[in-house]
């Protein structure tokens, strides 16, 4: 901790806070996630997993890991600072003004590239939502918050209790089926919908009704500004049966992109 100067708090979470800090030796700015370590060994091991998994991911669309260390009952994860805030904040800033389709697609493809990178390494993110997607001033989009991520070989218990309303949790989870790579795709589909409609695909006044809508409710069409191709893509990603959703690799292959992009043939 002596190597860094803390400037201010930039985010809060279930675990503690995210700090903006400069490294004294290089004068570089980083985001520093401060996680309170609980007494139990298994909890501590669980927190360390986030750092271990993030450290393994190196991709322009994944928040870059610098280092992690433990001090005074806390785990610190030092990572690249994304100065454009998170996607939830960005969507709110629009105050109802729709994003152009090419902006939506540009961001969406960047998130897909990040998701494809982790899936190829058999890692599931399990908490893909606009609040965990970060932006930089030069238009880069990065997937962050690996606090719920798991390697596929480990038991698939949905370990972390959800904070906030679980808008992005796929139907199979409510039906007690295992989480798989297509579950991340559902959540990615929810982000795509949110980028277009500036609201969640499923909304309700109670948890029970929200879960009912996620599992069987209608998916309202996107605003008319968006192409029917994009409309189709959202529907594919929000298929109730995970088998029918495209994988990240499929989404990115050129033949598939022809289906959902109006700008390539
Ligand atoms: P949690 O596990 O509580 O969701 P996150 O890792 O998502 O924690 O961080 C919480 C918030 O802190 C984010 O929603 C974002 O606003 C901010 N934040 C986290 N990491 C960064 C980063 N690398 N750059 C900029 N802001 C960040
Ligand atoms: Mg988060």
């Amino acid at each position: 901790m002596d190597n860094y100067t803390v400037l201010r708090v930039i985010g809060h979470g279930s675990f503690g806070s995210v700090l903006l800090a400069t490294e004294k030796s290089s004068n570089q700015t980083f985001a520093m996630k401060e996680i309170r370590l609980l007494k139990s060994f298994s909890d501590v091991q669980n927190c360390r997993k986030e750092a271990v998994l993030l450290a393994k991911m190196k991709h322009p669309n994944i928040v870059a890991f610098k280092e992690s260390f433990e001090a005074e009952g806390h785990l610190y994860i030092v990572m690249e600072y994304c100065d454009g805030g998170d996607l939830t904040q960005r969507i709110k800033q629009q105050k109802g003004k729709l994003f152009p389709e090419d902006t939506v697609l540009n961001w969406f493809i960047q998130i897909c590239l990040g998701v494809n990178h982790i899936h190829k390494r058999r890692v599931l993110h399990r908490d893909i939502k606009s609040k965990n997607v970060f932006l930089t001033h030069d238009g880069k989009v990065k997937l962050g918050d690996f606090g719920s991520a798991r390697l596929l070989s480990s038991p698939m218990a949905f370990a972390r209790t959800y904070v906030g309303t679980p808008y992005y949790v796929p139907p199979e989870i409510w039906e007690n089926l295992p989480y798989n790579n297509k579950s991340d795709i559902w959540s990615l589909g929810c982000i795509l919908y949110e980028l277009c409609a500036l609201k969640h695909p499923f909304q309700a006044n109670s948890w029970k009704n929200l879960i009912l809508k996620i599992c069987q409710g209608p998916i309202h069409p996107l605003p008319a500004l968006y192409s029917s191709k994009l409309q189709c893509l959202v529907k594919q990603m929000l298929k109730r049966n995970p088998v029918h959703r495209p994988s990240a690799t499929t989404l990115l292959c050129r033949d598939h992109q022809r289906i959902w992009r109006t700008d390539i043939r």
Side-chain angles (χ1 to χ4, degrees):
M1 198 62 203
D2 292 344
N3 300 341
Y4 294 90
T5 313
V6 174
L7 305 176
R8 59 186 164 91
V9 176
I10 49 174
H12 290 283
S14 41
F15 57 87
S17 26
V18 178
L19 313 167
L20 185 67
T22 47
E23 188 186 29
K24 289 174 184 164
S25 60
S26 65
N27 214 21
Q28 271 192 67
T29 305
F30 293 96
M32 198 180 215
K33 190 163 173 174
E34 184 184 54
I35 304 168
R36 241 175 288 114
L37 289 176
L38 299 167
K39 297 259 149 36
S40 104
F41 179 72
S42 66
D43 282 332
V44 172
Q45 286 298 78
N46 223 6
C47 290
R48 286 183 185 135
K49 262 188 205 145
E50 173 173 358
V52 170
L53 279 177
L54 186 63
K56 283 189 192 152
M57 304 298 147
K58 280 196 181 65
H59 188 274
N61 301 111
I62 307 275
V63 171
F65 172 89
K66 178 172 165 32
E67 62 167 335
S68 72
F69 56 88
E70 287 170 33
E72 293 145 27
H74 288 88
L75 166 70
Y76 293 89
I77 303 176
V78 185
M79 59 195 150
E80 155 187 27
Y81 169 52
C82 303
D83 54 5
D86 62 54
L87 206 53
T88 305
Q89 295 164 351
R90 187 66 191 79
I91 289 169
K92 278 212 185 96
Q93 274 171 22
Q94 287 302 103
K95 297 200 171 83
K97 186 174 181 291
L98 300 178
F99 291 113
E101 181 155 332
D102 57 354
T103 305
V104 171
L105 288 183
N106 176 307
W107 288 345
F108 173 70
I109 291 168
Q110 292 193 56
I111 311 170
C112 279
L113 288 165
V115 171
N116 191 40
H117 181 83
I118 67 168
H119 283 179
K120 280 196 302 201
R121 277 150 194 81
R122 294 187 306 124
V123 168
L124 304 178
H125 188 283
R126 309 200 312 171
D127 197 15
I128 296 180
K129 54 184 179 186
S130 55
K131 214 175 171 308
N132 288 335
V133 173
F134 305 132
L135 302 163
T136 65
H137 68 276
D138 56 350
K140 301 256 163 41
V141 179
K142 295 170 191 258
L143 184 61
D145 191 358
F146 279 68
S148 299
R150 289 292 174 275
L151 239 172
L152 253 182
S153 53
S154 69
M156 297 256 226
F158 202 52
R160 203 195 201 190
T161 44
Y162 248 81
V163 272
T165 327
Y167 290 112
Y168 303 82
V169 177
E172 59 269 24
I173 300 306
W174 304 119
E175 284 154 17
N176 267 323
L177 298 167
Y179 201 99
N180 63 82
N181 63 319
K182 301 293 186 70
S183 314
D184 275 350
I185 297 296
W186 170 280
S187 310
L188 185 58
C190 292
I191 295 192
L192 178 60
Y193 187 98
E194 203 185 343
L195 279 172
C196 298
L198 308 177
K199 61 180 184 203
H200 300 297
F202 308 100
Q203 285 179 307
N205 48 13
S206 70
W207 271 53
K208 185 172 158 263
N209 287 340
L210 178 63
I211 295 167
L212 271 172
K213 280 193 179 169
I214 290 175
C215 294
Q216 45 191 278
I219 298 162
H220 297 293
L222 299 178
L225 171 73
Y226 299 105
S227 65
S228 49
K229 286 185 157 189
L230 193 53
Q231 195 79 252
C232 270
L233 175 64
V234 168
K235 280 205 187 123
Q236 265 194 19
M237 298 180 74
L238 297 181
K239 289 266 190 226
R240 257 84 194 197
N241 184 344
V243 174
H244 295 144
R245 293 173 212 148
S247 66
T249 310
T250 301
L251 281 170
L252 288 166
C253 81
R254 201 165 170 87
D255 280 342
H256 195 269
Q257 287 198 31
R258 281 197 191 94
I259 301 173
W260 53 271
R261 283 175 65 171
T262 43
D263 59 335
I264 57 172
R265 300 190 172 273

